[in-house]
Amino acid sequence: SIGYDLNTTQIQINKQEQLEDEIKFRCSRIEKLATQAEYLIGTKRFNQNEMSRLLSKISLMQTKFSELKDSASSFRSLLEDNYTSQQYFTDSNEAESWIRDKMV
């Protein structure tokens, strides 16, 4: 949900910021796992099937993490656009109300 008014949109932006912070926190862990996988593959102590599973798992994890970061970035843009729009409508409604009050 992107929010239906200024307050709910701000709540969604705050939640999105929390998600983005968590993604940043997890990024080093993902990189560490990739490095560990490369090391394990480099030792050549595993049979072909195990190495293939290891490569597949780390590749899938990196792909999914990248997709999550891209999705979070896109959603963040959508939230910001929605917030700007909601702010515009709030400000314009307030201005219209003021004008009506002064014309009476």
Side-chain angles (χ1 to χ4, degrees):
S1 171
I2 59 172
Y4 55 87
D5 64 13
L6 204 52
N7 290 332
T8 58
T9 302
Q10 184 61 52
I11 290 169
Q12 289 303 101
I13 288 172
N14 291 341
K15 288 180 181 180
Q16 185 67 20
E17 287 173 353
Q18 291 173 353
L19 172 64
E20 290 169 0
D21 288 345
E22 188 174 356
I23 288 171
K24 287 176 189 173
F25 174 76
R26 301 275 179 178
C27 190
S28 63
R29 179 72 174 140
I30 300 296
E31 290 171 358
K32 183 178 178 182
L33 288 169
T35 301
Q36 287 175 333
E38 290 171 11
Y39 171 78
L40 290 171
I41 291 167
T43 64
K44 299 183 182 183
R45 295 182 188 169
F46 302 99
N47 64 37
Q48 190 63 33
N49 185 36
E50 290 170 327
M51 287 179 64
S52 177
R53 282 184 48 218
L54 190 58
L55 280 170
S56 176
K57 186 157 188 98
I58 195 63
S59 177
L60 179 63
M61 184 175 51
Q62 288 175 319
T63 299
K64 292 294 183 184
F65 191 69
S66 179
E67 288 173 2
L68 176 63
K69 289 191 299 185
D70 292 345
S71 177
S73 177
S74 294
F75 191 63
R76 170 67 149 195
S77 293
L78 182 62
L79 284 171
E80 288 174 350
D81 289 347
N82 187 50
Y83 185 80
T84 301
S85 173
Q86 293 293 340
Q87 185 66 56
Y88 169 80
F89 286 117
T90 299
D91 292 346
S92 66
N93 288 341
E94 183 180 309
E96 280 182 275
S97 178
W98 179 83
I99 291 168
R100 274 194 300 273
D101 285 348
K102 297 305 173 190
M103 294 196 61
V104 182

